[in-house]
Amino acid sequence: MKKIAFVIPWYAEKIPGGAEMETREVTKHLREAGMNVEILTTCVKEFVSDWGVNYYPEGTETILGVPVRRFKVKKRDAKAFDEVNIKLMNGILISDEEEQVFINEMVNSPALYKYISEHKDEYTAFVYIPYMFGTTYFGIKACPEKAVMIPCFHDEAYVYMKIFRELYSQAAGMIFNARPELELTERVYDTENVEKIVMGIGMDVDLKTDPAAFRKKFGINEPFIIYAGRKDMGKNVHTLLKYFGEYKKRNPSDLKLVLIGGGEIDIPESAERDVIDLGFVDIQDKYDACGAAELLCQPSKNESFSLVIMESWLCGRPVLVHEHCEVTKNFVRESSGGLYFGDYFEFEGCLDYFLNNKDISAAMGLNGRQYVLRNFDWNIIIDRYREFFEKIEARQA
């Protein structure tokens, strides 16, 4: 098999973000398994930086054992892009001309697209992640017959853009993080001739948890539920805080809510005394916290996977998710590893059920652990990737 290139708008060893993390982990594990993989990216620093500024020098370096080729980006009209993007963010239909502004004035690297076109014979596939950026759109245009996407699709305005529906249906393959993402894709795109697989994300399944160590280190002796992740409106943490405050008012007890992760969010007065915000903690502390918790609550409505759910299950603890997130709800249904809620009273009922049925809660956690072991062990994921790329190669032959 020839080289496999993963194409992403920006890349570094410690950039946060789901697509960046997935790219790091997948390429590292595939490389360690003997596959010839590399990363093609731009010189942009990260998502929150100026997409028209070349922060890193052009050229090749090695990160986590994987070669990384960087290409310069072109200048862009950020004002024109923002005017179109705000419409999309608010669900307003845009014209064909505005779609072209959107894709032309975001992060773009003509040098990268030229490299793909000129060197395509050296590669079995170019794997693009995520879907909405110029590096994916114009990269696929440069060589659609070898284009594979890890799109990270959500049910949002960008998915329905005409330029994406026309081009992405020509890709050779698509790799999905969860079944609902595949189902969304098949509703919106013509994927009859696209090789597809629900892959998921690999997990280091041998992680250990020490609940007693967490309680001793942080001085938390009361029972608690945990939220681990970014604390902002986009993750629906405000709903969790509101519901938890209402729960404590209606159900007085010593139950706490422990928050782990970056970001800031206002804690309602009704919950202030019972919310413990630890901010960033070491990864082992996070595992220990998951093991010590009654359950993990993931209230987000917009996830393409959810590592923290898998980590909670590997620590043997059940999860509570939002019913309006098809991905996390599907994981709970497939695994029998937790429950889901849609409003406050369902949240209260689920929480009471977990707390009053400890044996069933423990069984749910073990169900979730077995689900992760069956589906997301890195050895299983690597074999799936190898077989998938062999199919892509066979299609070209």
Side-chain angles (χ1 to χ4, degrees):
M1 188 181 297
K2 299 177 185 176
K3 289 188 289 186
I4 306 292
F6 283 70
V7 186
I8 189 167
W10 34 75
Y11 186 78
E13 185 173 350
K14 295 184 179 179
I15 293 181
E20 294 84 355
M21 177 283 302
E22 185 169 355
T23 302
R24 278 194 298 270
E25 291 299 307
V26 170
T27 54
K28 182 184 75 168
H29 282 87
L30 292 180
R31 188 84 175 182
E32 289 172 353
M35 296 187 68
N36 190 358
V37 299
E38 63 181 39
I39 293 167
L40 308 182
T41 189
T42 73
C43 300
V44 172
K45 184 180 181 181
E46 57 189 345
F47 177 79
V48 295
S49 62
D50 188 329
W51 297 352
V53 171
N54 291 295
Y55 175 83
Y56 293 104
E58 194 171 28
T60 303
E61 62 177 313
T62 299
I63 299 177
L64 298 174
V66 179
V68 178
R69 297 180 188 270
R70 296 191 187 278
F71 299 86
K72 289 185 177 180
V73 290
K74 70 179 184 69
K75 296 296 182 182
R76 56 190 291 265
D77 187 340
K79 182 175 181 293
F81 173 84
D82 291 343
E83 289 174 353
V84 174
N85 193 42
I86 196 68
K87 290 184 178 182
L88 288 163
M89 292 173 68
N90 287 291
I92 299 171
L93 290 175
I94 63 173
S95 66
D96 292 353
E97 291 75 17
E98 287 173 316
E99 287 195 3
Q100 289 299 325
V101 170
F102 175 88
I103 202 65
N104 288 330
E105 302 304 336
M106 62 145 46
V107 56
N108 272 304
S109 173
L112 169 59
Y113 314 143
K114 182 180 179 183
Y115 176 87
I116 291 171
S117 179
E118 292 180 349
H119 294 265
K120 60 186 177 183
D121 291 341
E122 301 170 20
Y123 296 83
T124 290
F126 298 92
V127 185
Y128 299 91
I129 180 172
Y131 79 95
M132 69 173 67
F133 294 96
T135 47
T136 295
Y137 180 80
F138 289 107
I140 290 176
K141 266 196 163 184
C143 184
E145 67 273 15
K146 293 189 175 183
V148 171
M149 300 179 69
I150 305 178
C152 306
F153 285 136
H154 299 298
D155 193 354
E156 57 192 353
Y158 306 100
V159 163
Y160 299 93
M161 288 172 62
K162 183 178 178 181
I163 55 172
F164 291 159
R165 286 187 284 113
E166 290 177 348
L167 181 65
Y168 294 165
S169 297
Q170 301 175 33
M174 290 187 181
I175 297 170
F176 301 102
N177 289 328
R179 184 157 300 281
E181 185 188 1
L182 166 63
E183 293 168 353
L184 168 65
T185 304
E186 291 182 332
R187 289 197 305 271
V188 178
Y189 295 83
D190 176 8
T191 60
E192 183 179 354
N193 296 315
V194 179
E195 191 73 45
K196 301 180 287 292
I197 185 173
V198 178
M199 181 77 69
I201 299 175
M203 299 291 301
D204 294 318
V205 298
D206 58 350
L207 64 84
K208 306 296 182 186
T209 181
D210 188 341
F214 172 80
R215 292 190 177 281
K216 181 178 180 181
K217 181 172 181 178
F218 294 95
I220 300 174
N221 298 310
E222 302 88 351
F224 66 90
I225 66 175
I226 188 170
Y227 168 81
R230 195 171 70 247
K231 298 188 290 289
D232 62 28
M233 298 282 283
K235 291 293 186 181
N236 203 29
V237 184
H238 61 289
T239 297
L240 171 59
L241 290 167
K242 177 183 175 183
Y243 286 4
F244 183 74
E246 180 66 19
Y247 181 87
K248 289 304 301 277
K249 186 168 67 174
R250 291 166 55 90
N251 302 271
S253 71
D254 58 353
L255 182 69
K256 305 295 183 185
L257 169 61
V258 172
L259 307 178
I260 286 176
E264 295 183 4
I265 195 163
D266 292 334
I267 298 173
E269 193 173 324
S270 61
E272 277 182 330
R273 294 170 54 186
D274 295 302
V275 175
I276 303 170
D277 188 353
L278 298 180
F280 283 110
V281 299
D282 292 340
I283 189 71
Q284 188 57 51
D285 288 335
K286 180 170 76 164
Y287 297 155
D288 293 345
C290 285
E294 300 294 320
L295 63 132
L296 175 133
C297 184
Q298 168 56 289
S300 174
K301 300 179 184 179
N302 199 20
E303 295 294 307
S304 61
F305 192 68
S306 182
L307 290 173
V308 294
I309 285 178
M310 305 302 159
E311 289 167 344
S312 180
W313 281 336
L314 287 171
C315 294
R317 304 312 300 149
V319 301
L320 178 61
V321 304
H322 204 289
E323 74 167 0
H324 292 150
C325 182
E326 293 299 327
V327 167
T328 56
K329 182 171 70 172
N330 181 71
F331 283 145
V332 164
R333 283 174 162 174
E334 286 189 344
S335 66
S336 297
L339 301 172
Y340 50 87
F341 67 96
D343 58 27
Y344 169 73
F345 290 104
E346 290 180 355
F347 175 85
E348 181 181 68
C350 290
L351 208 51
D352 281 342
Y353 189 83
F354 283 122
L355 297 174
N356 296 328
N357 296 275
K358 297 296 182 74
D359 290 346
I360 296 176
S361 290
M364 287 182 180
L366 292 177
N367 288 343
R369 176 175 172 77
Q370 291 304 313
Y371 178 74
V372 178
L373 295 177
R374 288 194 308 270
N375 292 282
F376 305 120
D377 183 304
W378 268 116
N379 293 320
I380 294 171
I381 294 294
I382 289 168
D383 287 343
R384 287 181 188 161
Y385 265 105
R386 195 188 304 275
E387 291 171 7
F388 185 80
F389 289 135
E390 287 172 353
K391 289 181 180 179
I392 296 298
E393 191 174 50
R395 285 167 62 112
Q396 296 164 19

